[in-house]
């Protein structure tokens, strides 16, 4: 997808969320907000919004001298750890644990503080388990899981990573080898190797980083090792709207690959592109 005019107010709103997390000093907040305007003016409208927000958040971290999302990431890892035992029980007691784990993984995608300032985790879990998905290609997903012995799993946010852990535990319990991918450096509240360790995911499966601090997965900026993995895996599970923005491109995916996007459509632009209402939940095959 391409950047739309409606993305520009969102760029500023994302900056405001970040600076308010990073400092209480209003003068610093205003200075950062003004300083990122050059990054916003340099936006390439032909590229997905995640390209521009990648450079935007690099500038924010540079100006603040720290990662503004560090505290809230750990906070929501702990909140999700508290929910984890009951959610895991719900999955294993369900009629189709894979179906339930997929739904919970999509529900977990609501934990996104690059876009939201607060989230309703419990309400979103109930919605995911009891309401139909806007796009639901579960049958194709299940067939692809059964067909492939190895899966590349692109993680998204901290906190959400505990929901992914449950799905990954189901997959490994089915005899699948899962390689989970985190970001190489801090960006927004995206998961890094520290979050994977805090979530206990490193005890469940292999976890690697993609060598990048980009929002989503921008292959020209990820490491050669990750790019090799991306091309070699026949089944890829992609979490989050940023990954959808940057990977839902026909030139990226080979005919031999199945990529499934699990996410919530959190902004008006993406929702309009999909022809869906904002807040829609999707299990979508590329």
């Amino acid at each position: 997808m391409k950047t739309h005019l409606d993305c520009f107010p969102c760029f500023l709103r994302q900056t405001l969320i970040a600076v308010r997390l990073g400092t209480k000093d209003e003068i610093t907040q205003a200075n950062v907000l003004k300083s990122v305007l050059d990054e916003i003016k340099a936006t390439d409208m032909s590229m997905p919004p995640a390209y521009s927000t990648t450079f935007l958040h690099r500038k924010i971290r540079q100006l603040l001298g720290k990662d503004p999302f560090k505290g809230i990431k750990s906070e929501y890892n702990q909140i999700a750890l508290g929910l984890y035992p009951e959610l895991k029980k719900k999955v294993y007691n369900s009629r189709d644990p894979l179906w339930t784990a997929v739904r919970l993984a999509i529900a977990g995608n609501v934990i996104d503080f690059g876009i939201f300032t607060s989230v309703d985790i419990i309400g979103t879990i109930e919605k995911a388990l009891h309401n139909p998905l806007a796009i639901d290609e579960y049958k194709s997903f299940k067939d692809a899981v059964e067909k492939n012995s190895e899966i590349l799993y692109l993680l998204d946010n901290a906190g959400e990573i505990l929901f992914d852990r449950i799905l990954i535990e189901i997959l490994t319990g089915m005899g699948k080898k899962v390689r989970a991918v985190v970001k190489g450096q801090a960006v927004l509240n995206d998961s890094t190797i520290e979050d994977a360790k805090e979530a206990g995911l490193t005890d469940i499966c292999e976890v690697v980083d993609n060598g990048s601090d980009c929002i989503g997965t921008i292959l020209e900026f990820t490491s050669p090792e990750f790019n090799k993995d991306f091309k070699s895996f026949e089944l890829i599970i992609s979490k989050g709207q940023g990954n959808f923005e940057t990977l839902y491109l026909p030139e990226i995916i080979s005919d031999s690959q199945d990529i499934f996007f699990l996410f919530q459509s959190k902004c008006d632009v993406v929702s309009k592109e999909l022809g869906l209402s904002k807040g829609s939940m999707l299990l979508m095959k590329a």
Side-chain angles (χ1 to χ4, degrees):
M1 63 175 289
K2 299 178 181 179
T3 298
H4 293 242
L5 291 176
D6 289 327
C7 295
F8 285 87
C10 187
F11 293 163
L12 284 171
R13 189 169 60 84
Q14 284 193 38
T15 303
L16 192 57
I17 290 171
V19 298
R20 283 178 170 164
L21 286 171
T23 178
K24 300 298 182 186
D25 183 75
E26 292 189 359
I27 294 175
T28 302
Q29 291 174 354
N31 287 338
V32 173
L33 201 61
K34 292 174 184 177
S35 296
V36 300
L37 294 178
D38 286 339
E39 303 294 334
I40 294 175
K41 283 193 289 185
T43 295
D44 184 344
M45 300 284 289
S46 70
M47 303 301 285
Y51 276 71
S52 293
T53 48
T54 289
F55 297 112
L56 183 68
H57 283 280
R58 281 180 187 169
K59 184 75 169 181
I60 293 167
R61 293 193 300 276
Q62 175 192 340
L63 292 169
L64 290 174
K66 63 178 181 180
D67 171 16
F69 294 90
K70 184 176 177 64
I72 203 164
K73 285 170 64 178
S74 184
E75 177 186 344
Y76 272 80
N77 280 337
Q78 293 304 314
I79 289 172
L81 276 166
L83 295 171
Y84 168 80
E86 187 60 35
L87 293 177
K88 185 174 180 179
K89 187 187 300 182
K90 191 184 292 285
V91 167
Y92 281 89
N93 288 340
S94 67
R95 185 180 61 186
D96 184 345
L98 180 62
W99 181 94
T100 307
V102 166
R103 294 294 185 112
L104 287 177
I106 297 170
N109 189 231
V110 75
I111 305 174
D112 188 343
F113 289 99
I115 295 177
F116 302 132
T117 54
S118 63
V119 295
D120 177 11
I121 299 176
I122 301 302
T124 306
I125 289 169
E126 291 303 309
K127 178 182 174 184
L129 293 179
H130 298 110
N131 293 347
L133 302 180
I135 297 177
D136 187 353
E137 299 195 61
Y138 175 68
K139 185 181 184 304
S140 294
F141 175 81
K142 187 174 182 180
D143 289 345
V145 167
E146 290 175 346
K147 183 177 71 175
N148 289 277
S149 60
E150 297 185 340
I151 301 168
L152 190 69
Y153 196 116
L154 309 182
L155 296 159
D156 192 19
N157 300 317
E160 177 183 354
I161 195 172
L162 268 302
F163 293 73
D164 296 313
R165 175 181 165 177
I166 296 173
L167 175 52
I168 289 169
E169 285 176 318
I170 292 294
L171 294 170
T172 57
M174 296 170 66
K176 310 302 174 180
K177 183 179 179 181
V178 178
R179 181 174 297 168
V181 182
V182 295
K183 295 295 165 61
Q185 300 173 51
V187 57
L188 291 174
N189 65 318
D190 287 12
S191 297
T192 60
I193 193 66
E194 288 78 15
D195 299 295
K197 290 175 180 176
E198 191 171 0
L201 187 59
T202 50
D203 299 325
I204 306 301
C205 69
E206 181 185 7
V207 181
V208 300
D209 73 67
N210 69 0
S212 170
D213 70 343
C214 293
I215 294 168
T217 300
I218 303 175
L219 294 175
E220 65 188 278
F221 299 136
T222 51
S223 68
E225 294 80 9
F226 172 77
N227 286 353
K228 183 179 178 182
D229 279 348
F230 188 87
K231 291 173 183 175
S232 65
F233 276 78
E234 293 186 3
L235 175 56
I236 299 173
I237 296 174
S238 168
K239 284 296 301 295
Q241 184 174 285
N243 279 328
F244 171 77
E245 287 180 24
T246 51
L247 293 176
Y248 194 68
L249 303 166
E251 64 269 22
I252 285 178
I253 304 160
S254 73
D255 291 339
S256 64
Q257 285 181 306
D258 287 322
I259 299 186
F260 288 87
F261 296 99
L262 283 65
F263 71 107
Q264 295 186 41
S265 176
K266 299 168 191 165
C267 77
D268 292 326
V269 170
V270 172
S271 302
K272 187 175 181 180
E273 285 265 338
L274 293 166
L276 300 172
S277 60
K278 186 176 175 180
S280 295
M281 297 186 181
L282 304 92
L283 169 54
M284 182 177 181
K285 185 178 180 181

